[in-house]
């Protein structure tokens, strides 16, 4: 099958079965070609025929009955979207600026009915989505979702409380402290990280925020000992596999760019940070009169799901009085499974630990759980106490005020969705099996790759991600058969793998991303979408092979 044929088949699939919605009539067409040439499945939404429909200009913005009516429509819309999501091209194939051509140039002067707005969502917004909830999405790390998290988030939005301190909404604060201890206990974190011990946890938006908060706390703690004029001497450390969020945090925290150490890793250590390399770099910096401040260690890096040796790295950092943060954004969730818990052995030597339930824990974005051993370090760096926020509960020091644990003052009621997930699915019954199934499917894909001698697994497979590529020898064989005896370099192999990935993604059938490993272009296959099944993994491999056949035949 040619790449154009594959693309065509992706577009021709779509919403095909007529259905009735709630409060409006819906007719579903297979596809529609728009003025800007975009071919997309659409759902035609008609204004309700019911005479009970009232203009939105005449009702309260929070009218209970209108909220009920429109809310049912949105639920129906999303239920149909989830049902049909795998029929859409996974990667959005619009051109930059497409939406400007489709929407009005200015804000509407008069109210429009929800039916018209939903019509525009289907026709204009959905084509511009890359479908992260598709079972054919194998790129980046997924943002998992579930009924429980959706309902919890809906409640959070409905209550719309601003939990900056305890008195602003006691339930929001107290549920967060309870849920953070629950999850910490499931992970078997040391009690020193829990409220039931001497530490505690907070739900941040993302890892970027969590790392910045802990880095600022570490910075101020160190500067209180050596003087604020020595900020320019502080040095931070991580492996070259660490997420760029750490470098951004260092920039914001005022760490001199020349004092950011991304220590090189290699295949010899499976791209994990070597304790010997860390110590050697620290020794050089100390000899130069610099001050080691902070180490960001990883459990499941973004490029290849690499796992750093926490225990030995913490031992090195301890010798120099450094703050150690463990970034387990992706893989930390899997550590609720006993067979993966050993990957965070040694966490007791760290100062802080974070993971993102929105990556692999059936919890929607945004939800980053951060635990610290010494909450006072965060509070000293991040607290402000204006008069208008003064109250008896806060002054008593008997409550948690989350405004002092984060960058922002305001805080959403994020703990509701995590509470819903933990209660609705249960640790043993569903959450563990959910992640184990993804690991099993990743191993299935790994086995399929291994059976095709044209490909190789580039790095050891950790958790649910497989890193692979076309071998240079497969390209050499093609070149030889075509009568050319050129030696195929890594550069040629990189080009072939780059073309392969682009071709696959443009087909719309599946979506994957890549990473460069010591100059080698590697394709990442990350299993993690909520609805993914083995059939999707098998189909994805067939798509890879079909496109590889085309690339290698030319």
């Amino acid at each position: 099958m040619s790449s154009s044929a594959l693309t065509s088949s992706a577009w021709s699939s779509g919403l095909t079965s007529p259905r009735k919605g709630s409060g409006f009539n819906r007719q579903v067409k297979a596809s529609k070609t728009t003025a800007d040439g975009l071919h997309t499945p659409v759902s035609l939404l008609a204004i309700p025929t019911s005479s009970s429909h009232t203009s939105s200009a005449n009702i309260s913005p929070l009218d209970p009955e209108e909220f009920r009516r429109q809310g049912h429509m949105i639920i129906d819309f999303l239920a149909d979207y989830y049902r049909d999501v795998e029929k859409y091209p996974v990667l959005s194939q619009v051109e930059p600026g497409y939406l400007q051509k489709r929407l009005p140039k200015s804000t509407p002067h008069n109210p429009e009915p929800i039916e018209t707005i939903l019509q525009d969502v289907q026709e204009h917004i959905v084509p511009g989505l890359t479908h992260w909830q598709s079972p054919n999405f194998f790129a980046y790390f997924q943002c998992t979702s579930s009924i429980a998290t959706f309902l919890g988030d809906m409640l959070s939005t409905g209550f719309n409380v601003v939990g900056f301190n305890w008195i602003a909404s006691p339930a929001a604060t107290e549920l967060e402290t309870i849920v953070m201890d629950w999850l910490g206990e499931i992970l078997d974190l040391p009690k020193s990280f829990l409220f039931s011990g001497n530490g505690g946890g907070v739900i941040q938006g993302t890892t970027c925020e969590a790392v910045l908060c802990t880095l600022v706390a570490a910075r101020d703690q160190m500067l209180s000992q050596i003087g604020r004029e020595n900020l320019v001497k502080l040095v931070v450390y991580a492996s070259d596999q660490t997420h760029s969020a750490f470098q951004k945090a260092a920039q914001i925290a005022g760490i001199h760019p020349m004092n950011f150490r991304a220590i090189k890793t290699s295949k010899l250590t499976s791209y994990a940070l070597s304790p010997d390399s860390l110590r050697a770099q620290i020794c050089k910096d100390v000899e130069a009169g610099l001050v080691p401040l902070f180490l960001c260690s990883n459990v499941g890096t973004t490029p290849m799901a690499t796992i750093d040796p926490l225990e030995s790295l913490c031992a090195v950092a301890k010798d120099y009085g450094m703050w150690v943060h463990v970034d387990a954004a992706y893989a930390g969730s899997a550590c609720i499974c006993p067979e993966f818990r050993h990957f965070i052995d040694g966490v007791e030597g760290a100062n802080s630990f974070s993971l993102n339930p929105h990556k692999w824990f059936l919890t929607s974005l945004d939800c980053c759980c951060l635990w610290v051993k010494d909450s006072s370090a965060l509070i000293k760096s991040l607290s402000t106490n204006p008069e208008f926020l003064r109250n008896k509960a806060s002054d008593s020091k008997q409550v948690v005020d989350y405004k002092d644990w984060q960058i922002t003052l305001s805080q959403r009621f994020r703990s509701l969705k995590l509470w819903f997930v933990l209660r609705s699915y249960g640790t043993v019954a569903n959450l563990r099996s959910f992640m184990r199934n993804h690991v099993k499917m990743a191993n299935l894909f790994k086995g399929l790759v291994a059976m095709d001698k044209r490909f190789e697994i580039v790095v050891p497979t950790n958790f649910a991600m497989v890193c692979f590529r076309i071998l240079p020898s497969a390209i050499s064989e093609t070149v030889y058969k075509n009568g050319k005896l050129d030696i195929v370099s890594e550069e040629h192999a990189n080009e072939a793998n780059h073309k392969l990935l682009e071709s696959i993604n443009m087909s719309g059938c599946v979506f994957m991303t890549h990473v460069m490993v010591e100059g080698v272009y590697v394709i990442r296959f990350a299993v993690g979408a909520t609805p993914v099944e083995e059939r999707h993994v098998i189909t994805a491999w067939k798509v890879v092979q079909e496109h590889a056949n085309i690339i290698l035949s030319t």
Side-chain angles (χ1 to χ4, degrees):
M1 182 182 291
S2 68
S3 57
S4 59
L6 285 166
T7 304
S8 176
S9 65
W11 283 117
S12 62
S13 64
L15 307 179
T16 56
S17 58
R19 278 174 64 88
K20 286 188 176 180
S22 173
F24 60 96
N25 298 322
R26 186 184 319 180
Q27 179 184 5
V28 183
K29 286 188 174 183
S31 62
K32 175 180 178 180
T33 303
T34 61
D36 52 356
L38 197 64
H39 193 159
T40 177
V42 296
S43 172
L44 302 182
L45 310 179
I47 300 297
T49 55
S50 169
S51 59
S52 64
H53 174 68
T54 306
S55 169
S56 56
N58 302 322
I59 59 174
S60 163
L62 277 179
D63 177 79
E65 292 310 311
E66 189 60 18
F67 176 67
R68 192 187 315 277
R69 184 186 78 86
Q70 294 189 25
H72 283 159
M73 292 170 64
I74 294 294
I75 294 293
D76 281 347
F77 185 92
L78 284 172
D80 287 351
Y81 172 76
Y82 289 138
R83 179 198 63 198
D84 297 318
V85 67
E86 70 177 282
K87 298 177 182 178
Y88 289 97
V90 190
L91 178 64
S92 176
Q93 308 205 0
V94 300
E95 295 294 329
Y98 90 99
L99 200 54
Q100 290 282 356
K101 300 173 185 176
R102 292 176 169 224
L103 297 186
K105 299 299 181 186
S106 59
T107 307
H109 293 289
N110 299 310
E112 297 180 74
I114 186 64
E115 294 82 0
T116 301
I117 298 170
L118 275 179
Q119 174 81 41
D120 285 346
V121 169
Q122 184 66 60
E123 292 192 7
H124 305 314
I125 302 302
V126 172
L129 297 178
T130 290
H131 299 283
W132 285 67
Q133 302 310 310
S134 170
N136 300 310
F137 185 103
F138 301 102
Y140 311 115
F141 286 130
Q142 285 80 351
C143 284
T144 53
S145 192
S146 63
I147 296 170
T149 190
F150 180 88
L151 297 179
D153 234 354
M154 193 178 348
L155 272 180
S156 174
T157 301
F159 292 147
N160 201 27
V161 300
V162 186
F164 42 71
N165 59 13
W166 180 87
I167 200 170
S169 202
T173 296
E174 296 198 12
L175 183 62
E176 187 157 334
T177 63
I178 290 167
V179 166
M180 288 300 294
D181 268 12
W182 278 10
L183 187 52
E185 288 166 359
I186 296 167
L187 288 161
D188 195 24
L189 289 181
K191 195 159 187 176
S192 55
F193 280 104
L194 309 182
F195 285 106
S196 55
N198 298 315
V202 57
I203 302 178
Q204 306 273 1
T206 66
T207 300
C208 302
E209 297 168 47
V211 172
L212 177 57
C213 288
T214 54
L215 180 54
V216 167
R219 177 200 66 188
D220 291 350
Q221 194 174 67
M222 181 64 75
L223 292 179
S224 69
Q225 300 170 30
I226 66 174
R228 299 197 72 85
E229 68 277 8
N230 288 306
L231 173 62
V232 71
K233 294 182 179 180
L234 300 182
V235 187
V236 298
Y237 303 83
S239 80
D240 58 0
Q241 301 301 310
T242 300
H243 196 283
S244 57
F246 181 42
Q247 186 171 9
K248 178 182 283 190
Q251 291 172 211
I252 296 171
I255 304 301
H256 194 287
M258 296 296 290
N259 291 351
F260 181 86
R261 303 285 183 258
I263 300 172
K264 185 173 175 55
T265 59
S266 71
K267 199 167 186 176
L268 290 174
T269 60
S270 297
Y271 300 98
L273 177 57
S274 159
D276 291 340
S277 297
L278 173 64
R279 188 180 292 277
Q281 182 60 62
I282 291 173
C283 287
K284 287 181 183 178
D285 291 331
V286 171
E287 288 173 8
L290 300 175
V291 180
L293 171 69
F294 191 99
L295 168 66
C296 184
S297 186
N298 301 286
V299 178
T301 59
T302 298
M304 296 172 288
T306 301
I307 303 154
D308 288 337
L310 297 188
E311 191 166 7
S312 51
L313 290 173
C314 287
V316 173
K318 185 178 180 180
D319 289 345
Y320 298 91
M322 297 166 60
W323 183 298
V324 179
H325 177 73
V326 179
D327 175 7
Y330 161 60
S333 296
C335 294
I336 69 168
C337 301
E339 65 269 30
F340 298 126
R341 173 56 179 78
H342 69 278
F343 287 124
I344 58 171
D345 283 354
V347 69
E348 61 275 6
N351 301 80
S352 52
F353 175 88
S354 65
L355 64 83
N356 291 355
H358 63 238
K359 278 187 166 64
W360 205 8
F361 209 74
L362 291 173
T363 307
S364 57
L365 192 72
D366 52 358
C367 186
C368 172
C369 294
L370 167 67
W371 290 267
V372 290
K373 278 184 176 177
D374 179 10
S375 59
S376 67
L378 280 184
I379 294 169
K380 286 175 185 175
S381 291
L382 301 173
S383 65
T384 54
N385 294 292
E387 184 61 33
F388 72 91
L389 291 180
R390 293 284 302 275
N391 63 85
K392 185 177 179 180
S394 295
D395 289 345
S396 74
K397 306 297 182 185
Q398 299 300 305
V399 299
V400 173
D401 287 341
Y402 273 125
K403 70 180 179 62
D404 301 329
W405 292 56
Q406 59 190 26
I407 298 165
T408 61
L409 173 68
S410 301
Q411 189 191 42
R412 296 179 62 241
F413 198 170
R414 295 188 185 102
S415 58
L416 261 178
K417 60 186 173 187
L418 189 52
W419 187 51
F420 266 53
V421 167
L422 288 169
R423 293 190 63 187
S424 297
Y425 302 116
T427 312
V428 177
N430 286 301
L431 289 171
R432 286 176 178 166
S433 62
F434 173 71
M435 285 175 274
R436 283 168 175 157
N437 283 337
H438 287 166
V439 173
K440 180 182 175 183
M441 284 185 268
N443 285 324
L444 168 63
F445 187 85
K446 176 184 174 182
L448 293 171
V449 174
M451 287 191 293
D452 191 328
K453 300 307 178 185
R454 300 173 300 173
F455 292 85
E456 72 166 337
I457 304 295
V458 180
V459 295
T461 298
N462 291 322
F463 304 105
M465 189 168 72
V466 182
C467 295
F468 70 102
R469 68 164 181 160
I470 299 175
L471 280 164
S473 58
I475 304 165
S476 297
E477 187 176 339
T478 301
V479 171
Y480 181 79
K481 285 180 179 178
N482 290 337
K484 298 179 181 179
L485 300 178
D486 298 357
I487 296 174
V488 174
S489 66
E490 284 294 349
E491 186 178 345
H492 292 129
N494 288 347
E495 184 181 354
N497 282 286
H498 175 70
K499 286 181 178 178
L500 173 61
L501 182 59
E502 278 200 335
S503 177
I504 290 168
N505 287 341
M506 288 308 297
S507 76
C509 299
V510 295
F511 180 36
M512 294 178 280
T513 48
H514 79 282
V515 65
M516 294 294 293
V517 184
E518 293 188 303
V520 174
Y521 189 99
V522 178
I523 301 173
R524 298 167 71 260
F525 184 84
V527 181
T530 303
V532 67
E533 300 171 6
E534 283 191 1
R535 64 184 177 89
H536 300 111
V537 172
I538 293 169
T539 298
W541 175 242
K542 288 179 180 176
V543 171
V544 172
Q545 287 185 308
E546 289 170 359
H547 286 266
N549 291 341
I550 296 166
I551 297 294
L552 292 175
S553 66
T554 52

